[in-house]
Structure formats: structure tokens, C-alpha cells
Amino acid sequence: MQNVLTVVAGYLGKISLPGFGVIDIIEIGLISFFVYQFMAWIKFTRAYTLLKGILIVLGFILVAYIFKMNTILWIFRNLANVLVIGVIVIFQPELRKALEQLGQKKFVSNIIPFDSGREVQERFNDKTINELVKACFDMGEVKTGALIVIEEEIRLDEYVRTGINIDGILTSQLLINIFEHNTPLHDGAVIVRGNRVVAATCYLPLSDNMELSKQLGTRHRAGVGISEATDSLTIIVSEETGQVSVARGGELSRGLNSKQLREVLVSAQNKKVVDNGKLRNLLKGRVKHEEKSD
């Protein structure tokens, strides 16, 4: 046992650790911050799926390297430059959006929220839920078709760009006017982000699900299609029957009543109370303690 300890001690004595200073700590902190921001940003875009595909390809290259698959490695080495350019072209919209968001960031207020305490975080408020429910069933009574996509975590910018920008506060009157027959904006989908109608007449991908009823038209297939491609919640009002349906995660729920639709919207609202004022309270407590000491 003594010999083993002597060998280990001799080995550890030969290890020389590099110098570690303040600049190194700052550098590690900056790299960690930018990696975290990149992962947080990419998680809410379609690029996240593409990134997983790239990781799978890199894993395949690693396997080829371990098992000395020289032909495959030669192919990847010769295609490396082309693949890098291809990745830049594929991610071009996301990279541009990321740089725009980087310029709009308020880093200090995000890192140290001095002016915030207990607050309610939610995708949209209760008033928006009431307006959505009212609009859907008012349109259902007169058999006005509607297709309303509610954005959740994954941003729907690529679908917003296919429509006409609205950027108005969501009200039942606005939705009813948009989907009214023979109006310029009635054809296509409305995209909702938070408490606002972002765009109208947006084009959505159609679902290829062969299990959907043949009685369903393009509006329902588009509603299911966008729910398959993203994590959004889609409300469909049938022009033929006036029924209100909801598509989420590729699943279609038909014939909802107002109570059921409200429950679905409340679950999508994701309301929670967050106490992010701990730092502020800590500083206040410290000041009070110093005042008492004086």
C-alpha cells in the first residue's frame, strides 16, 4: 500500500498546472455566457432540430474515426468546406435574427433584475383568453371559418413572413373582422404572439396524416400541419358546421364547447408566479441592518 501511495505521489508531483489568473476567470465566464445564450436562443427555433441532425452526423464521423474508416473520413475531409457553407446558408435566417436580438439585449438588467420582485409570467393574459373564446364561438354561430395559431415556445417568424403584418392587440372584434367573408384578410391563418395578433393571411404546411377524416378540408389539415411542425396551439372554426376544434402536437380535438376551449387555452397560458426579487430584498435587508447598526 505504501508503494502505491509513493508512486501516486510521485506522479502527481510531476503534474504542472497552468497559471490561473483573473483574465482566465473572465474569459471562462464570457465563453460560458455566450454558449448559454446560444443554446437558449436555438432551443426556441427550428434550428434546434437541424442542430440535432448535425450532432448525429458528427457522431457518425467520430465512429468512422475510431474504427479507421478511411474512405468515409476522406469524403468528409473533402466536403468539409462545402458543408460549412451549407450550414451557414441553412441557418442564415436564424443567425440574422440572433444578431438582431443581440443588439437589442439589455445585459445588465437581464443579469441583475434590480427593479423586479414577484411577478406573473404567462404567454398571454386572461383577457386574451376571453376574447379568443368569444370570437371563436361567435364565428361558429354564423359559420364563419377561422384558423388561429397561438405561438408557444418555438417562434413562428417564417410563417409570419408569408402573411400581412397586423401587430394589433387581440380582441374578438378584430378576429371577427379579419375572418369575415369577402374581406382582404379572411383567407389564411392568423398568428397570435402573446396578447397581440402578429399577422394574418399566413400560409401553413398541410398535414400528410392519412388517419385524418376525409371530411376535413384544407383549414383543418393546415391546423394539424402547423401543430406537427411546431409546438403551437391552433384553433379551427369550421365554415361548414361551425364546430370549434383544436390541434396540438399533431392531434386534432373536434367539437369543443366554450368551457373545454377555455381549459385548453389556460393550459397553454402557462401562468406561474416567479420571485426574482431575492437580490433586491437581500440588498434592502443589508441596508436596513446597516441603518440599525448606526
Side-chain angles (χ1 to χ4, degrees):
M1 184 67 181
Q2 186 65 31
N3 293 333
V4 174
L5 293 176
T6 304
V7 172
V8 172
Y11 178 75
L12 293 176
K14 295 178 181 178
I15 298 176
S16 59
L17 296 175
F20 198 73
V22 177
I23 298 299
D24 299 307
I25 296 173
I26 295 173
E27 189 175 13
I28 292 171
L30 288 173
I31 293 172
S32 302
F33 173 76
F34 284 114
V35 169
Y36 171 78
Q37 290 293 329
F38 174 76
M39 295 305 297
W41 159 73
I42 203 170
K43 180 181 178 183
F44 304 124
T45 67
R46 286 209 314 160
Y48 186 59
T49 306
L50 295 174
L51 179 63
K52 289 192 290 186
I54 291 173
L55 291 176
I56 291 173
V57 173
L58 291 177
F60 178 71
I61 295 173
L62 179 62
V63 171
Y65 178 79
I66 292 172
F67 290 99
K68 308 294 183 182
M69 299 178 181
N70 296 323
T71 304
I72 294 176
L73 293 174
W74 179 84
I75 292 172
F76 276 112
R77 276 196 297 269
N78 285 274
L79 292 178
N81 294 332
V82 177
L83 291 175
V84 170
I85 296 172
V87 168
I88 293 173
V89 172
I90 291 171
F91 284 97
Q92 185 269 336
E94 285 79 10
L95 290 172
R96 180 177 177 179
K97 187 68 177 178
L99 292 174
E100 290 175 353
Q101 291 176 351
L102 185 64
Q104 297 169 357
K105 283 277 187 183
K106 298 179 180 179
F107 293 106
V108 176
S109 61
N110 288 337
I111 297 171
I112 310 176
F114 287 103
D115 58 345
S116 59
R118 289 179 66 86
E119 62 179 17
V120 177
Q121 290 186 351
E122 56 190 9
R123 291 196 179 99
F124 42 85
N125 58 33
D126 295 335
K127 183 178 183 297
T128 296
I129 292 178
N130 294 334
E131 296 292 332
L132 280 167
V133 173
K134 183 178 186 303
C136 290
F137 285 93
D138 283 354
M139 289 186 286
E141 287 182 4
V142 295
K143 295 185 178 179
T144 298
L147 184 57
I148 305 169
V149 183
I150 300 172
E151 182 183 87
E152 294 195 27
E153 297 293 342
I154 297 177
R155 291 179 67 87
L156 305 177
D157 291 336
E158 64 177 296
Y159 303 106
V160 169
R161 287 193 289 268
T162 65
I164 297 174
N165 290 333
I166 302 294
D167 193 25
I169 296 174
L170 189 151
T171 63
S172 58
Q173 293 90 343
L174 176 59
L175 291 175
I176 291 171
N177 286 336
I178 288 174
F179 288 110
E180 184 65 33
H181 293 290
N182 301 320
T183 58
L185 302 179
H186 85 282
D187 191 19
V190 157
I191 294 180
V192 174
R193 176 179 297 155
N195 299 305
R196 304 183 73 84
V197 175
V198 181
T201 70
C202 299
Y203 295 104
L204 305 180
L206 299 181
S207 173
D208 294 327
N209 188 351
M210 301 303 294
E211 295 181 2
L212 291 175
S213 173
K214 301 299 182 184
Q215 298 175 350
L216 299 177
T218 305
R219 184 176 287 112
H220 286 81
R221 287 198 169 272
V224 175
I226 188 66
S227 73
E228 291 172 341
T230 69
D231 63 349
S232 61
L233 170 69
T234 307
I235 305 173
I236 308 110
V237 181
S238 173
E239 190 171 352
E240 288 75 22
T241 64
Q243 281 190 341
V244 176
S245 304
V246 167
R248 197 176 193 182
E251 299 291 331
L252 181 66
S253 302
R254 302 175 63 186
L256 274 65
N257 56 37
S258 60
K259 181 181 178 181
Q260 291 171 326
L261 178 59
R262 187 180 298 277
E263 289 174 352
V264 172
L265 290 171
V266 168
S267 68
Q269 187 182 20
N270 197 29
K271 180 186 288 189
K272 54 187 176 183
V273 178
V274 178
D275 186 3
N276 57 6
K278 292 181 180 179
L279 179 58
R280 184 183 62 176
N281 295 334
L282 179 63
L283 293 174
K284 282 185 176 180
R286 183 175 178 181
V287 171
K288 289 180 180 178
H289 178 72
E290 290 176 354
E291 289 175 353
K292 288 180 180 179
S293 300
D294 294 338

